Amino acid sequence: MSLQIYINGTFYDKENAKISVYDHGLLYGDGVFEGMRSYSGKVFRLREHMDRLYESARSICLQIPISKEQMEADVMATLERNQLHDAYIRLVVTRGSGSLGLDPNRTADPQVIIIADHIALYPAEFYESGLKIITAATIRNHPAALSPRVKSLNYLNNIMAKIEGLQAGCVEALMLNHKGEVAECTGDNIFIVKRGHLQTPPKDAGILEGITRNAVLELARTLNIPVSEVTLTRHDILVADECFLTGSAAEVIPVIAIDGRSIGSGHVGPVTKQLMTEFKAMVHR
Ligand code: PXG
């Protein structure tokens, strides 16, 4: 049986899961999304993903046609329908189709799409040896242009930075904010360890408030690792003892070099290793 895709409460074969070319999600990137993971049939922090999705939608004046509870149930139904236990779940809500033109009032039918698929993981080697990343010249969205807190369908900004990374042979790239401070990577939040102290940029650095980021902050507190959300510059990354990234897809992934320069020993550090192990345990609890 082919993969079953949810669109507005109905399941379609992957080949037949289609939306209009007039959809403003396609025409203008007008919509919001979430990327989630399920482990042994349980979606990690489903409620937090729902909260962020509905906040993203509210921020762009998009009324999601179903309740959070219904959406949660529909996510679970999509997993079940596809008999997936360890999956990647992409939830998309578009503004819907309408006439050409930016005016969102000319659309009437927001499309709710849920795709549950096998997850394409980074190779194990990245976790064992760590990633090498670069600093992208493309900065993160200016918060006064489009808040980075909104997980919108308009990801070109991050895609441009991703292209810079790929052209330099790196799968991730660091993005600075409009003030030149460290924001985050193209699809992951960033942490450093300095003298045993865990640090990550604050929400107002112009980042997406990652659900994995928040889980790692919680973990650190329970493990009595000193932690702060503090403004970081590229200098702080260059002189850090350890560095790692967090994201639903990547989980906790070590970074051992940036812009061709080793971070700390140039090997995966002990705090990073501890948090990788503890996070793995956490998602299965
Ligand atoms: N920053 C940005 C810009 C992101 O897009 C994160 C941080 C990490 O957030 P979470 O909540 O996942 O810890 C993201 C998340 C994909 C994909 O398909 C992207 C994300 C998550 C899952 C899948 O590219 N980005």
Side-chain angles (χ1 to χ4, degrees):
M1 194 174 77
S2 73
L3 214 66
Q4 298 288 297
I5 315 288
Y6 169 108
I7 305 178
N8 296 332
T10 306
F11 287 99
Y12 300 87
D13 288 345
K14 183 177 170 179
E15 304 71 46
N16 298 321
K18 293 174 180 158
I19 62 161
S20 167
V21 293
Y22 282 86
D23 194 296
H24 284 207
L26 172 68
L27 291 175
Y28 304 112
D30 187 355
V32 293
F33 77 103
E34 277 298 321
M36 303 176 268
R37 284 223 11 212
S38 69
Y39 298 89
S40 310
K42 192 165 165 257
V43 180
F44 182 64
R45 307 231 155 164
L46 179 56
R47 184 35 75 122
E48 282 90 337
H49 281 284
M50 292 301 118
D51 289 344
R52 188 170 69 186
L53 178 75
Y54 280 72
E55 279 183 17
S56 289
R58 192 178 176 91
S59 172
I60 68 160
C61 302
L62 169 58
Q63 176 83 41
I64 298 180
I66 57 175
S67 68
K68 269 187 208 178
E69 291 70 26
Q70 184 66 50
M71 189 72 91
E72 284 184 353
D74 292 354
V75 166
M76 296 314 294
T78 307
L79 278 177
E80 230 154 81
R81 183 90 174 199
N82 289 287
Q83 291 178 6
L84 284 163
H85 306 289
D86 296 285
Y88 173 69
I89 303 145
R90 163 61 59 90
L91 208 169
V92 181
V93 185
T94 74
R95 186 81 67 181
S97 63
S99 50
L100 298 176
L102 297 183
D103 186 352
N105 297 318
R106 294 202 198 152
T107 61
D109 60 341
Q111 300 291 298
V112 179
I113 302 162
I114 307 173
I115 306 169
D117 207 338
H118 300 280
I119 174 135
L121 297 170
Y122 277 141
E125 171 202 329
F126 287 5
Y127 293 88
E128 285 149 20
S129 314
L131 294 181
K132 295 178 178 177
I133 65 171
I134 56 143
T135 308
T138 307
I139 63 162
R140 194 68 172 90
N141 283 344
H142 193 297
L146 173 63
S147 173
R149 303 280 297 279
V150 176
K151 202 162 166 63
S152 86
L153 292 183
N154 215 308
Y155 250 54
L156 252 189
N157 185 227
N158 294 41
I159 291 167
M160 295 318 294
K162 178 97 177 178
I163 290 171
E164 288 185 56
L166 293 173
Q167 285 177 342
C170 301
V171 296
E172 256 298 13
L174 175 66
M175 301 183 79
L176 305 176
N177 67 18
H178 64 285
K179 292 187 272 187
E181 300 158 353
V182 170
E184 60 181 336
C185 286
T186 67
D188 298 292
N189 292 111
I190 188 163
F191 285 78
I192 59 167
V193 180
K194 185 68 178 175
R195 295 188 196 93
H197 201 119
L198 191 62
Q199 299 177 322
T200 196
K203 280 180 275 187
D204 65 11
I207 60 169
L208 182 79
E209 191 183 350
I211 281 150
T212 319
R213 169 189 182 273
N214 288 349
V216 166
L217 288 173
E218 267 176 50
L219 267 182
R221 289 183 184 116
T222 55
L223 296 167
N224 291 319
I225 299 169
V227 52
S228 48
E229 295 173 59
V230 61
T231 300
L232 298 174
T233 62
R234 185 166 163 272
H235 171 82
D236 295 303
I237 313 282
L238 291 171
V239 303
D241 299 324
E242 299 180 34
C243 179
F244 62 84
L245 311 180
T246 63
S248 295
E251 302 181 324
V252 178
I253 193 162
V255 175
I256 51 141
I258 185 162
D259 302 324
R261 298 159 65 156
S262 289
I263 297 173
S265 67
H267 299 285
V268 182
V271 179
T272 304
K273 277 187 187 158
Q274 185 187 12
L275 288 167
M276 286 168 72
T277 306
E278 294 290 340
F279 184 77
K280 274 228 174 299
M282 185 185 219
V283 296
H284 288 109
R285 273 204 281 274

